[in-house]
Amino acid sequence: MEDIGGSSSNDNNNNGGIIKEQDRLLPIANVGRLMKRILPQNAKISKEAKETMQECVSEFISFVTSEASEKCRKERRKTVNGDDICWALATLGFDNYAEPMRRYLHRYREVEVDHNKVNLQEKGNSPEEKDDELFKLSNRGVGL
Amino acid sequence: MLLLLLQFLQLSFILPMAMQTVYLKKHEGNAHNFVGTLSSAASAPWWSAFGSQSVHQGESCGQMKPFALELPNCIDQLAATKLSARGAEQVLGEGHTTQFTIFPDGCKMSDDAQKLQTTISLQSSLTDPHSRFEIGFSQPMLCAKYPYTDQFYGLFSAYAPQISGRIMLPLNMSSDDGPIYVNAKQYHGIIRRRQSRAKAVLDHKLTKRCKPYMHESRHLHAMRRPRGSGGRFLNTRSSINGNGKLGNEVHKTVGEQLQSSDSQSSEFLQSEVGTLNSSKETNGSSPNISGSEVTSMYSRGGLDSFSLNHLGSAVHSFANMIDGGRGMIIPPKWVAAAGNCYNLKV
């Protein structure tokens, strides 16, 4: 989920203001893959279901992000960080999501600190280890 | 005369308990001369009649009196405003239209009246089967009770717990639904998002881009590839390796960002697993070809195609791994894709 969000953010930064149609929504292949992860092995997902979920998750991300962005605008900050997202979830009434997201964010920061240390010690294999660790953390986040 | 008949028809329907309270207060407000005896005499038969849902001979006499008192109220309504007549005419139409009509009335009234109207709308939304007749019945009461602010205030306090968690959104002209109640915490966010979407729609109309593909060079390459009789690409297994090489070349020559090319490769891998949408996006094919793709897929046989796609995707993922680490972002997605492939095989 973190990678998908990052991808969308980078695409928006590239365009610089004009929002293309394919940047308004998450990639449908990734949405389908996430939906498939929770279903049994032989289950199939129709294209209409994927498109509907694509609209829903994209709107939810925009909804939460606009709330966080409004908070940053009031506090005259330019960067929306993870704490702002957790605050926005709590403010909008998604309390059940805010607490697991704070734990995820806390664990994510711990992993980042550890990898900065590892990166200082070992400069050879750090990219692969970091990628594996991020993948494990992302997988664990989905399990929450 | 027709309006009077409509009033009697509305009264004949069974109303919920809350409306009885509303009606009793209305009764008290209209009949000041008979406050003591008449209200006590009329209230008990009225309540027991609706509670037991059966009319007895003794109680029918008591029930007749509220009808008699209703008549001057109807006449006052007709004399007072044309709006009540329009409301009565709306009752003949659809329930949704009636619900929509009540909203402009709220704009003319004061804040307390608007809150009261919100209460009645909430009442109607809670009881869907009777929503049509309740709204038709409640609108004359609103017009009649407008001068008496104290009764509004007392009536509003009775319904305070129901409004605590919900706020009514302003209605959309495009949607035919009734009023929608949302979480009070999310009200401002939803309004903000509506404005953002409207602005995006305007921007989209100004800069309209309907491209069937995202990248020109990939589109040209797909058009040059040889296709079979059904429109699908020939030599799928070997062409996957070719596409891998092409990905490298595109990444080097065009200078696209890593994120975009990675997303495109991921979509292509998904298409090999079986999703036709990614295939459509990547190839830019016409709807006819996509239909023929489905036909050829079915004619080929699900099991063989399924296993073939798995082998192809496995080769593709291993080929990319052999090429080495491209960066920080590509490997986790490919590892995730490989994990999905292995899960599907089991």
Side-chain angles (χ1 to χ4, degrees):
Chain A
M1 196 64 190
E2 193 70 23
D3 291 336
I4 295 169
S7 175
S8 177
S9 176
N10 286 336
D11 288 339
N12 283 326
N13 287 331
N14 292 335
N15 294 322
I18 299 173
I19 300 173
K20 293 183 180 178
E21 186 64 25
Q22 67 267 18
D23 289 330
R24 186 176 66 88
L25 300 173
L26 293 177
I28 194 167
N30 292 328
V31 172
R33 197 179 305 133
L34 287 172
M35 292 172 72
K36 194 183 297 180
R37 188 175 291 180
I38 202 70
L39 295 174
Q41 296 295 329
N42 56 358
K44 295 182 186 300
I45 305 170
S46 67
K47 183 180 176 183
E48 189 179 22
K50 290 179 186 177
E51 289 178 351
T52 304
M53 192 57 73
Q54 196 183 14
E55 290 278 347
C56 290
V57 298
S58 302
E59 181 59 34
F60 180 74
I61 288 170
S62 300
F63 184 60
V64 174
T65 307
S66 67
E67 186 73 19
S69 176
E70 187 67 19
K71 180 177 189 289
C72 291
R73 191 185 65 80
K74 289 179 181 176
E75 297 180 357
R76 306 203 183 279
R77 290 191 281 110
K78 291 184 177 179
T79 304
V80 178
N81 53 28
D83 291 326
D84 296 326
I85 299 295
C86 294
W87 178 87
L89 286 170
T91 303
L92 294 171
F94 299 108
D95 298 322
N96 294 327
Y97 295 92
E99 187 59 28
M101 196 53 64
R102 284 202 186 93
R103 291 201 298 267
Y104 175 88
L105 184 60
H106 187 64
R107 206 174 300 174
Y108 178 85
R109 285 172 174 168
E110 288 180 349
V111 171
E112 282 291 321
V113 169
D114 291 339
H115 272 285
N116 284 330
K117 292 179 181 178
V118 171
N119 206 356
L120 289 175
Q121 292 176 359
E122 301 176 359
K123 296 183 179 179
N125 295 324
S126 57
E128 292 179 0
E129 289 180 358
K130 188 170 184 180
D131 293 331
D132 289 338
E133 193 65 26
L134 285 177
F135 169 64
K136 291 178 182 177
L137 184 63
S138 176
N139 207 0
R140 196 186 314 160
V142 173
L144 283 174
Chain B
M1 291 303 294
L2 183 62
L3 298 178
L4 296 179
L5 290 177
L6 290 175
Q7 294 295 328
F8 281 112
L9 287 175
Q10 291 160 14
L11 288 174
S12 64
F13 284 93
I14 297 168
L15 297 175
M17 292 296 291
M19 281 299 172
Q20 299 177 13
T21 308
V22 174
Y23 192 78
L24 288 175
K25 290 189 175 181
K26 174 184 175 183
H27 189 73
E28 291 176 356
N30 289 325
H32 290 287
N33 295 326
F34 307 96
V35 170
T37 57
L38 187 58
S39 64
S40 63
S43 63
W46 182 265
W47 180 80
S48 62
F50 283 100
S52 63
Q53 295 186 357
S54 65
V55 178
H56 299 287
Q57 293 180 355
E59 292 175 349
S60 64
C61 296
Q63 195 171 3
M64 288 294 292
K65 293 180 180 179
F67 283 108
L69 291 174
E70 186 69 21
L71 288 173
N73 194 5
C74 295
I75 295 171
D76 290 338
Q77 292 173 10
L78 292 175
T81 57
K82 298 179 181 178
L83 194 62
S84 63
R86 189 180 69 180
E89 289 177 356
Q90 291 293 331
V91 173
L92 294 174
E94 294 180 355
H96 295 293
T97 308
T98 307
Q99 289 179 0
F100 182 74
T101 305
I102 289 177
F103 185 70
D105 296 345
C107 296
K108 297 179 181 178
M109 294 181 181
S110 63
D111 291 336
D112 290 337
Q114 286 181 354
K115 291 180 180 178
L116 176 62
Q117 188 160 11
T118 305
T119 305
I120 295 176
S121 298
L122 176 63
Q123 195 70 35
S124 64
S125 65
L126 286 175
T127 59
D128 289 334
H130 302 286
S131 63
R132 184 180 301 174
F133 299 100
E134 284 179 356
I135 291 169
F137 181 72
S138 62
Q139 187 165 1
M141 289 195 300
L142 280 177
C143 299
K145 286 183 174 297
Y146 181 69
Y148 304 106
T149 57
D150 292 336
Q151 293 177 1
F152 278 137
Y153 189 78
L155 190 59
F156 174 69
S157 64
Y159 294 101
Q162 297 181 1
I163 307 174
S164 63
R166 290 287 182 265
I167 294 179
M168 186 177 74
L169 281 178
L171 294 173
N172 278 330
M173 292 299 177
S174 61
S175 65
D176 293 332
D177 294 333
I180 298 170
Y181 289 88
V182 299
N183 192 336
K185 298 177 178 177
Q186 302 174 10
Y187 178 78
H188 296 289
I190 291 170
I191 296 296
R192 195 189 308 122
R193 280 296 303 159
R194 281 186 176 182
Q195 293 172 359
S196 300
R197 284 200 296 266
K199 189 175 181 181
V201 168
L202 290 178
D203 290 339
H204 183 65
K205 286 181 178 178
L206 290 176
T207 63
K208 189 174 183 181
R209 299 181 181 180
C210 295
K211 285 187 176 180
Y213 52 85
M214 292 185 187
H215 305 98
E216 182 69 22
S217 59
R218 295 189 180 194
H219 172 66
L220 293 178
H221 173 74
M223 293 301 290
R224 281 195 297 268
R225 288 181 69 181
R227 297 169 185 261
S229 62
R232 296 177 71 88
F233 292 134
L234 294 174
N235 297 324
T236 307
R237 186 178 297 179
S238 61
S239 67
I240 289 173
N241 291 326
N243 192 21
K245 293 179 181 178
L246 179 65
N248 288 326
E249 291 178 356
V250 169
H251 182 63
K252 292 178 180 177
T253 57
V254 178
E256 293 177 356
Q257 288 200 358
L258 194 61
Q259 198 64 241
S260 177
S261 63
D262 179 67
S263 175
Q264 191 66 38
S265 301
S266 174
E267 287 179 1
F268 184 78
L269 182 67
Q270 191 69 32
S271 70
E272 288 299 322
V273 171
T275 304
L276 293 176
N277 186 61
S278 298
S279 176
K280 187 183 293 183
E281 288 182 358
T282 304
N283 298 327
S285 61
S286 63
N288 292 327
I289 295 174
S290 66
S292 63
E293 282 180 350
V294 173
T295 305
S296 64
M297 190 172 179
Y298 287 152
S299 64
R300 183 184 295 178
L303 188 59
D304 292 337
S305 175
F306 205 61
S307 62
L308 181 61
N309 288 329
H310 284 306
L311 291 175
S313 62
V315 170
H316 190 56
S317 62
F318 283 132
N320 282 283
M321 286 184 177
I322 291 169
D323 288 336
R326 297 183 181 181
M328 294 172 61
I329 299 170
I330 291 181
K333 287 192 176 180
W334 284 116
V335 172
N340 286 329
C341 293
Y342 291 141
N343 287 330
L344 286 173
K345 285 183 178 178
V346 174

